[in-house]
Amino acid sequence: MKILNFGSLNLDYTYSVDHIVKEGETISSLGVQTNLGGKGFNQSVALARAGKEVFHAGLVGEGGQLFFEACNKYGINTKYMNTVLGRSGHTIIQVDKNGQNSIVLYGGANQKITKDYVNKVLNDFSKGDIIILQNEINELPYIIDEAFKREMTIVLNPSPMDEKINACNLKKVSIFILNETEGQQLTLATDANGILDAMQRRFPASRIMLTLGKDGCIFRSGRKTVSQKAFSVDAVDTTAAGDTFTGFFIAGLVDELPIKDVLCTATKASALAVQKEGAAQSIPTMEEVERFRP
Ligand code: ADP
């Protein structure tokens, strides 16, 4: 069984500023940091950190060489990653002295996926292989349809949630991994149980993994509901908490571990991630997760 993550690769430029720039204003930044990110990239890092071989498919543009180098470092297979003309997907993030931020996202190469490219990648995958998707690349409806045709197990993290998700045939999704906000937007339910019930009514064949930040998570499959409390830690940066959870959760499913153990390991991994600054660099290794005694 192979694992394919078809997802975004983003260069994150984080500028430290005194205050978020106002309309018509020009300010100097106090510093800048470039980080590699994108939900797709972070989730591939988490899968690799959890000890799994993951193939990442996605496009980069100028400056994209950094992703190839980073993937090699983390042990992510780049066979299907391509470089296209133009800019890589990137974000311009301002962080003020109180830690508040504002973000401009430019889709760049992440929005240049073609049907031809999708076909070329998916032709190497078949029944039982896993495909992981988020909502930061174009052609998502087509990828879902083509993966379904090939009888792949489709895992969707509908994040960031927007109207493009509604263009997808979500009945083809085997496993949804979503947080409370995404769950509310998708179902219009307001609380966790309401979200799970509504998701199950709409997608009776799918498994639902609902994460609830510091309140933990609930997994629902058919009549089975299993929950796990989050571990109480001093969170300094919750960026990529969900992406870490996703990677370790899928790794546990692939190993066919009991669901309680899968949730416990994914929750430990995210508890470690929120105690560190940054996205990909905050994702722990499986050894660190196994050593963690909450
Ligand atoms: P996302 O990052 O996608 O919004 P969540 O906020 O639901 O996802 O977080 C995913 C998981 O990360 C949670 O289920 C929990 O295990 C862990 N987590 C998130 N925030 C905290 C926190 N403050 N303390 C401990 N664990 C956390």
Side-chain angles (χ1 to χ4, degrees), residues 90-161:
H90 62 267
T91 54
I92 294 170
I93 307 173
Q94 300 177 51
V95 181
D96 74 10
K97 55 181 189 265
N98 303 316
Q100 295 298 316
N101 65 28
S102 79
I103 304 176
V104 177
L105 169 67
Y106 179 69
N110 291 317
Q111 298 298 320
K112 291 187 175 164
I113 309 280
T114 61
K115 291 189 169 65
D116 187 47
Y117 172 60
V118 174
N119 295 340
K120 280 201 181 109
V121 174
L122 293 190
N123 281 346
D124 275 1
F125 293 85
S126 56
K127 185 169 177 171
D129 290 338
I130 297 183
I131 182 167
I132 301 149
L133 300 163
Q134 318 79 30
N135 190 26
E136 288 184 336
I137 56 171
N138 67 316
E139 292 292 1
L140 195 58
Y142 183 75
I143 300 173
I144 290 177
D145 289 346
E146 289 300 310
F148 188 78
K149 258 191 219 163
R150 290 164 174 81
E151 299 183 68
M152 296 178 77
T153 299
I154 303 172
V155 181
L156 176 67
N157 171 215
S159 174
M161 187 62 204

Side-chain angles (χ1 to χ4, degrees), residues 39 179 211-214 216-217 230-231 233 235 238 241-242 245 267 270-271 274:
K39 294 192 77 65
N179 68 17
T211 62
L212 303 164
K214 60 179 174 19
C217 64
F231 296 108
V233 293
T238 58
F245 189 98
T267 301
S270 349
V274 301

Side-chain angles (χ1 to χ4, degrees), residues 39 42 46 211 213 237-248 266-267 269-271 273-274 278-279 282-283:
K39 294 192 77 65
N42 294 339
T211 62
D237 182 356
T238 58
T239 315
D243 298 333
T244 304
F245 189 98
T246 296
F248 280 79
T267 301
S270 349
V274 301
S282 72
I283 301 172

Side-chain angles (χ1 to χ4, degrees), residues 63 66 158 173 187 192 258:
L66 289 174
V173 172
T187 62

Side-chain angles (χ1 to χ4, degrees), residues 6-293:
F6 214 130
S8 53
L9 300 147
N10 258 336
L11 290 165
D12 295 328
Y13 301 110
T14 304
Y15 296 87
S16 315
V17 290
D18 175 75
H19 60 272
I20 307 283
V21 69
K22 297 189 185 76
E23 194 177 322
E25 189 188 24
T26 302
I27 57 171
S28 294
S29 92
L30 310 168
V32 62
Q33 264 198 332
T34 306
N35 288 307
L36 305 191
K39 294 192 77 65
F41 176 72
N42 294 339
Q43 292 177 8
S44 283
V45 171
L47 273 155
R49 290 287 198 183
K52 293 292 156 217
E53 153 126 275
V54 53
F55 294 89
H56 191 97
L59 301 176
V60 291
E62 285 159 27
Q65 190 52 34
L66 289 174
F67 283 101
F68 287 91
E69 288 160 16
C71 285
N72 287 339
K73 185 184 103 187
Y74 286 112
I76 297 164
N77 193 312
T78 57
K79 181 175 169 189
Y80 300 105
M81 267 164 57
N82 274 348
T83 305
V84 292
L85 283 175
R87 304 288 301 267
S88 289
H90 62 267
T91 54
I92 294 170
I93 307 173
Q94 300 177 51
V95 181
D96 74 10
K97 55 181 189 265
N98 303 316
Q100 295 298 316
N101 65 28
S102 79
I103 304 176
V104 177
L105 169 67
Y106 179 69
N110 291 317
Q111 298 298 320
K112 291 187 175 164
I113 309 280
T114 61
K115 291 189 169 65
D116 187 47
Y117 172 60
V118 174
N119 295 340
K120 280 201 181 109
V121 174
L122 293 190
N123 281 346
D124 275 1
F125 293 85
S126 56
K127 185 169 177 171
D129 290 338
I130 297 183
I131 182 167
I132 301 149
L133 300 163
Q134 318 79 30
N135 190 26
E136 288 184 336
I137 56 171
N138 67 316
E139 292 292 1
L140 195 58
Y142 183 75
I143 300 173
I144 290 177
D145 289 346
E146 289 300 310
F148 188 78
K149 258 191 219 163
R150 290 164 174 81
E151 299 183 68
M152 296 178 77
T153 299
I154 303 172
V155 181
L156 176 67
N157 171 215
S159 174
M161 187 62 204
D162 62 27
E163 70 295 335
K164 280 185 280 163
I165 285 290
N166 298 324
C168 300
N169 185 343
L170 296 179
K171 291 213 158 39
K172 295 178 176 172
V173 172
S174 322
I175 305 171
F176 288 93
I177 303 179
L178 66 181
N179 68 17
E180 203 167 14
T181 313
E182 289 142 13
Q184 286 168 350
Q185 287 167 328
L186 207 56
T187 62
L188 304 181
T190 48
D191 66 332
N193 280 324
I195 293 168
L196 288 165
D197 290 344
M199 286 294 290
Q200 215 170 17
R201 270 197 303 277
R202 230 169 113 187
F203 311 109
S206 312
R207 286 171 274 174
I208 324 289
M209 182 68 254
L210 179 65
T211 62
L212 303 164
K214 60 179 174 19
D215 292 327
C217 64
I218 311 179
F219 175 75
R220 169 91 53 100
S221 171
R223 291 202 189 140
K224 192 157 90 181
T225 301
V226 184
S227 50
Q228 166 75 52
K229 287 201 170 75
F231 296 108
S232 176
V233 293
D234 284 327
V236 295
D237 182 356
T238 58
T239 315
D243 298 333
T244 304
F245 189 98
T246 296
F248 280 79
F249 172 73
I250 293 166
L253 289 189
V254 168
D255 287 342
E256 297 183 4
L257 299 176
I259 190 66
K260 264 212 105 17
D261 297 348
V262 176
L263 299 189
C264 181
T265 302
T267 301
K268 280 183 179 173
S270 349
L272 286 169
V274 301
Q275 292 177 78
K276 271 196 185 172
E277 297 275 354
Q281 65 267 40
S282 72
I283 301 172
T285 60
M286 187 58 103
E287 291 74 50
E288 288 169 322
V289 174
E290 282 166 352
R291 275 205 308 272
F292 178 51
R293 297 276 171 268

